[in-house]
Amino acid sequence: MEKTWNNKAWFMVLPVLLLVAFSAVIPLMTVVNYSVQDTFGNNVFFWNGSDWYTEILGSDRFWLSMVRNLIFSAIILVIEIPLGIFIALNMPKKGWGVPVCLVLMALPLLIPWNVVGTIWQVFGRIDIGLLGYTLSSLGIDYNYVNDPTDAWVTVILMDVWHWTSLVVLLCYAGLVSIPDAYYQAAKIDGASRWAIFRYIQLPKMNRVLLIAVLLRFMDSFMIYTEPFVVTGGGPGNSTTFMSIDLVKIAIGQFDLGPAAAMSIIYFLIVLLLSWVFYTVMTSVDAEH
């Protein structure tokens, strides 16, 4: 007896496919088209082949911005993942403190990115900002507008304040799913707190940690709004990440071909590094 296929389900999925095609595939094809052509205006294009890609990959400007992105993402992951795990482990699992902590953790995530940048732009000012004024009062020479190190510290602190909550909420979801029987058995065996974390809590958080690492890597590697509002990519080019550099090329210089080529390269780098993260973490999880 042959199996009967019901193709009506495709009509339910069709609106989503059309939406994805309209919002993602069509713009992507447009960018690919721009990346292999050149124009002198009047909407007249000329075939340029891979010249724009060669120009971008041969530019020190591109590689320096990518190095900044990699350093920034590495710092963010090193800080936010352990910090998020630590906070999640110390959050209450029962009682009235649970909803209070969850709401407090979710608050930074509800603030729009440009507002976060504006908050920290004012917060770090040495004349009226709480952070800048306090550090200046303590005799610390802090000025994120003129000093590249201070600019980096400010941007990193801003991202940690804004996005650590996401890691906390994901890890907390993994922790609350652990049955109490595991903890009772560990208590009977006299397991230490480190042993409970190593053999019970951490394995149960592996999946959510994978999601947290992937999300935080992609978000931090594609960061644009917050550092652009706070530092504008400065001082100099010290906080000019790939996203900011891309906007400068596309809008500031109006070089559509190089900007399109750089955006394709940018997309492929994010895709490749995310795949590497996923492959490595899933293989390590499988070994354990």
Side-chain angles (χ1 to χ4, degrees), residues 214-232:
L214 285 176
L215 289 178
R216 287 309 307 126
F217 166 72
M218 289 187 291
D219 286 340
S220 62
F221 200 80
M222 297 185 296
I223 191 170
Y224 169 75
T225 306
E226 298 98 316
F228 180 77
V229 173
V230 176
T231 66

Side-chain angles (χ1 to χ4, degrees), residues 17-32:
L17 295 177
L18 292 175
L19 180 62
V20 171
F22 179 76
S23 62
V25 177
I26 294 177
L28 179 61
M29 292 301 100
T30 303
V31 173
V32 172

Side-chain angles (χ1 to χ4, degrees), residues 108-186:
L109 302 176
L110 301 178
I111 305 175
W113 297 342
N114 59 331
V115 177
V116 171
T118 304
I119 290 173
W120 278 82
Q121 183 187 48
V122 177
F123 187 55
R125 289 182 54 174
I126 58 176
D127 51 352
I128 60 173
L130 179 61
L131 175 63
Y133 182 79
T134 302
L135 293 177
S136 298
S137 300
L138 295 175
I140 300 175
D141 186 16
Y142 168 84
N143 192 336
Y144 72 87
V145 177
N146 297 324
D147 189 271
T149 302
D150 293 341
W152 266 82
V153 170
T154 304
V155 173
I156 290 170
L157 288 176
M158 174 180 60
D159 196 89
V160 170
W161 174 83
H162 191 195
W163 289 110
T164 301
S165 297
L166 177 64
V167 181
V168 173
L169 294 176
L170 289 172
C171 293
Y172 186 79
L175 289 173
V176 296
S177 65
I178 302 175
D180 290 336
Y182 284 68
Y183 295 109
Q184 294 172 1

Side-chain angles (χ1 to χ4, degrees), residues 38 48 55 87 100 154 167 203 245 272:
D38 194 3
N48 200 45
E55 179 181 324
I87 296 174
V100 173
T154 304
V167 181
D245 198 25
L272 175 62

Side-chain angles (χ1 to χ4, degrees), residues 49-279:
S50 61
D51 289 352
W52 293 133
Y53 293 94
T54 304
E55 179 181 324
I56 292 297
L57 293 175
S59 170
D60 292 338
R61 175 178 175 180
F62 169 78
W63 292 107
L64 288 173
S65 62
M66 190 178 74
V67 168
R68 293 187 202 103
N69 263 110
L70 291 173
I71 295 174
F72 179 76
S73 296
I75 294 174
I76 289 303
L77 291 178
V78 168
I79 295 176
E80 292 185 8
I81 300 300
L83 181 60
I85 295 174
F86 176 78
I87 296 174
L89 288 172
N90 289 278
M91 285 177 61
K93 306 300 185 293
K94 296 179 181 178
W96 61 269
V98 174
V100 173
C101 289
L102 290 178
V103 170
L104 291 176
M105 285 294 105
L107 281 178
L109 302 176
L110 301 178
I111 305 175
W113 297 342
N114 59 331
V115 177
V116 171
T118 304
I119 290 173
W120 278 82
Q121 183 187 48
V122 177
F123 187 55
R125 289 182 54 174
I126 58 176
D127 51 352
I128 60 173
L130 179 61
L131 175 63
Y133 182 79
T134 302
L135 293 177
S136 298
S137 300
L138 295 175
I140 300 175
D141 186 16
Y142 168 84
N143 192 336
Y144 72 87
V145 177
N146 297 324
D147 189 271
T149 302
D150 293 341
W152 266 82
V153 170
T154 304
V155 173
I156 290 170
L157 288 176
M158 174 180 60
D159 196 89
V160 170
W161 174 83
H162 191 195
W163 289 110
T164 301
S165 297
L166 177 64
V167 181
V168 173
L169 294 176
L170 289 172
C171 293
Y172 186 79
L175 289 173
V176 296
S177 65
I178 302 175
D180 290 336
Y182 284 68
Y183 295 109
Q184 294 172 1
K187 185 177 181 180
I188 293 173
D189 292 338
S192 63
R193 186 166 183 177
W194 167 251
I196 293 174
F197 171 74
R198 173 67 180 82
Y199 297 104
I200 297 178
Q201 295 172 326
L202 187 59
K204 293 298 181 180
M205 288 193 297
N206 274 350
R207 295 297 179 180
V208 294
L209 278 178
L210 172 60
I211 297 173
V213 170
L214 285 176
L215 289 178
R216 287 309 307 126
F217 166 72
M218 289 187 291
D219 286 340
S220 62
F221 200 80
M222 297 185 296
I223 191 170
Y224 169 75
T225 306
E226 298 98 316
F228 180 77
V229 173
V230 176
T231 66
N237 291 320
S238 59
T239 57
T240 300
F241 302 114
M242 292 179 68
S243 56
I244 297 177
D245 198 25
L246 177 59
V247 172
K248 287 181 178 180
I249 295 174
I251 299 178
Q253 302 171 201
F254 205 68
D255 290 334
L256 298 183
M262 184 176 175
S263 64
I264 296 297
I265 297 172
Y266 196 1
F267 167 72
L268 293 177
I269 291 173
V270 174
L271 189 66
L272 175 62
L273 292 178
S274 299
W275 176 79
V276 170
F277 268 111
Y278 178 81
T279 303

